[in-house]
Amino acid sequence: MAAVTTGKIARKYMAHFLDSGSLCGGTSGYERLGKDLEEYNVELNPDTETSKNIIGESTFKHNGYEVSSEADPYYAEADSVLSQKLQEIVDNRYTDDNLKTNAVEVHMWKEATSGAYEAYQQECYVTPTSYGGDTSGYQIPFTVNYVGERTKGTYNVETGKFTAATSKYIKHREIGVKQWKN
């Protein structure tokens, strides 16, 4: 895909991949989400507070994000590793670390370098919310709950490999300073 240089970015250029292979302790392997999805939003769910003191001053506190997304509908396919892993979770009623994997968000509207696009990887938990469906096909919709810090890097869509950037973004929470370190 070519990079978009001007104008509105088409939705297909914001790609979402799940490491479906590592769910339930398997071997890593990413699958792109979206084949049957008309919409997929990553909800930031900011935890904010505003208050007003007795002298009329307003304050605002931002306590972070509880990031999640919904894949609904998700139609199971016989040859999909993600479908097989979701079925395993449903069949065994897995919880906790059996649901843990990685998600990668790929910015395909930006120029690729050696076939790799700018990307962000983050640990997440994949939780099926139901299973069944109607005559259109067997469905296993699920929620993705993102945890921990995002890692910036690149993702090669041909090889399915995420590579972390050599520079690391360090957040000093105790003093609120942000800096790049090589």
Side-chain angles (χ1 to χ4, degrees), residues 30 102-107 117-123 146-155 162-171 180:
Y30 286 92
N102 287 304
V104 174
E105 177 181 289
V106 183
H107 299 175
Y117 295 91
E118 178 181 296
Y120 292 85
Q121 183 184 61
Q122 187 170 9
E123 283 188 335
Y146 300 86
V147 296
E149 299 294 326
R150 288 167 39 115
T151 302
K152 185 176 182 177
T154 58
Y155 183 81
F162 175 81
T163 304
T166 55
S167 296
K168 293 187 179 178
Y169 189 58
I170 308 222
K171 287 204 254 179
W180 282 98

Side-chain angles (χ1 to χ4, degrees), residues 7 10 23 40-41 59 68 93 99 134 151 155:
L23 275 169
Y40 185 81
N41 296 310
T59 61
S68 66
R93 304 296 196 257
L99 309 176
D134 56 24
T151 302
Y155 183 81

Side-chain angles (χ1 to χ4, degrees), residues 11 40 48 59 62 94 102:
R11 180 61 177 92
Y40 185 81
T48 62
T59 61
H62 194 299
Y94 285 149
N102 287 304

Side-chain angles (χ1 to χ4, degrees), residues 45-52 58-65:
N45 303 311
D47 178 9
T48 62
E49 299 173 41
T50 56
S51 62
K52 195 174 218 178
S58 294
T59 61
F60 175 81
K61 292 181 185 173
H62 194 299
N63 300 312
Y65 299 97

